[in-house]
Amino acid sequence: SSLTASSPTDTFRAFSGTSSAAPALAGAATVLISAIRQEGLKVNAATVVHALRLSGRRLKNEPFIFQGYGLPQVERALELYKMLVSGE
């Protein structure tokens, strides 16, 4: 829904929308891809996306429009990735 970000004036402010979600999710995807490689698995971009979506934990009292698939859970996404690539 929103992140807290530092501002140039040494203060903090709320930061929301796709401008905050995109870099946060890119970071989660990077960590997931690193974990997949450490497991010795081949990386499939579409499956990474599906695993991250399926791993999302819904935020209480936030409509879908504000949270999308929810807060990505990278450890869960890795479990789901392994299941997806094995055909489960």
Side-chain angles (χ1 to χ4, degrees), residues 11-81:
T11 60
F12 295 95
R13 62 184 175 91
F15 187 50
S16 64
T18 55
S19 294
S20 65
L25 193 55
T30 301
V31 172
L32 177 57
I33 289 168
S34 177
I36 291 166
R37 288 183 174 157
Q38 286 180 357
E39 294 277 331
L41 299 170
K42 184 177 177 182
V43 176
N44 178 285
T47 308
V48 168
V49 170
H50 290 303
L52 283 168
R53 284 181 179 165
L54 291 170
S55 78
R57 180 176 48 88
R58 301 296 238 161
L59 304 172
K60 291 182 181 178
N61 303 318
E62 287 290 336
F64 180 82
I65 192 74
F66 294 129
Q67 67 173 301
Y69 290 92
L71 184 63
Q73 307 296 300
V74 177
E75 288 182 19
R76 176 72 179 137
L78 179 59
E79 293 171 21
L80 290 164
Y81 185 89

